[in-house]
Amino acid sequence: SGGVLRSPPSLAANGDLIVLVTEAGNTSLVRKTPQGEETWRTDIAEEDLWRRAPSIGIDGTIYTICVSSPESSCEVTGLAAYAPHTGDLKWSVGLQETKFNYSNVAIGPDGTLYIATNDMFDDVWVLHAVWPDGTLRWSLPTSDRIHHVVTDSAGNVYATEQNTGNLLMISANGTLEWE
C-alpha cells in the first residue's frame, strides 16, 4: 500500500479515507477511495509523524500537523489545512518554535480548530485556537501535556491532561473555567 499507516483513518463525507502514511522516513497525507485506490498523496514531514488522525472540516478541508522542510508541503511547522480533492496546501500556521508533540485537532461548531502543542525542549504545553482561515485566535498555556481535545455545541473546549489526569474546561474565548 506504499508505506506504513501511522494514524487512525478519518472518513470523508463521500466515504474516502484520509490517513498519515510513513515511507522511507517521510510522512505523507494520503486520500484513498473505499476500494483502496490512492487519489492523492502530499508530503507533510521528512520524519516519522504519527499518532493522531487527520480532522475533516464541514467543507471537506483536511487539518493535520505538518513539519516545514524542503521536501514537505508546509510553509511553517504547525497546523496545516489541505484541499479535499487535490491535497494541495491551503495554509499553515506556526505554533511552536522548535520540534513539538501535539494533540488531535478538534473542530468547534464555528469551524475554530483546537490543538495542543508541546515544545519538547522546555516542556511548555499550550492549547491553541485557530480560525478556519489559519489565523491564530488565542493560546492558553496548560500545566501538563494535553492528551485529547473535544468541543461541545457551544464551542467550549474539554481537554485531558495526560500526567495529572485532570479534565479541563476552556470557554470558546480561551478562559480556563475549571479543572
Side-chain angles (χ1 to χ4, degrees), residues 7 13 18 24 30 43 52 60-62 69-70 78 91 150 153 155 157 163 166 170:
S7 72
I18 311 297
V30 177
D43 291 336
R52 307 288 184 227
T61 298
I62 300 157
S69 72
W91 54 259
V150 297
S153 61
V157 181
N163 297 317
N166 289 336
I170 301 101

Side-chain angles (χ1 to χ4, degrees), residues 104-110 112-114 148-159 170:
N104 64 303
V105 179
I107 303 175
D110 64 354
T112 298
L113 308 161
Y114 300 94
H148 196 77
V149 180
V150 297
T151 62
D152 65 19
S153 61
N156 295 309
V157 181
Y158 300 88
I170 301 101

Side-chain angles (χ1 to χ4, degrees), residues 34-167:
Q35 295 75 33
E37 177 186 333
E38 185 173 308
T39 57
W40 53 256
R41 177 181 291 245
T42 300
D43 291 336
I44 63 170
E46 283 186 332
E47 57 189 83
D48 188 358
L49 285 182
W50 56 281
R51 295 180 293 210
R52 307 288 184 227
S55 295
I56 302 174
I58 193 82
D59 66 351
T61 298
I62 300 157
Y63 302 99
T64 190
I65 210 68
C66 68
V67 178
S68 178
S69 72
E71 299 300 317
S72 82
S73 60
C74 300
E75 299 161 352
V76 294
T77 296
L79 179 63
Y82 292 90
H85 301 292
T86 63
D88 292 338
L89 179 70
K90 293 173 82 172
W91 54 259
S92 59
V93 59
L95 298 176
Q96 297 285 158
E97 294 296 319
T98 59
K99 184 173 178 170
F100 62 96
N101 290 316
Y102 56 95
S103 71
N104 64 303
V105 179
I107 303 175
D110 64 354
T112 298
L113 308 161
Y114 300 94
I115 184 169
T117 62
N118 163 248
D119 184 319
M120 293 180 1
F121 297 104
D122 61 14
D123 204 32
V124 173
W125 283 93
V126 181
L127 178 65
H128 305 277
V130 178
W131 289 111
D133 67 359
T135 305
L136 186 63
R137 182 174 176 184
W138 52 258
S139 296
L140 177 71
T142 63
S143 61
D144 190 15
R145 177 180 184 200
I146 299 294
H147 184 66
H148 196 77
V149 180
V150 297
T151 62
D152 65 19
S153 61
N156 295 309
V157 181
Y158 300 88
T160 55
E161 291 183 326
Q162 182 173 349
N163 297 317
T164 65
N166 289 336
L167 175 63

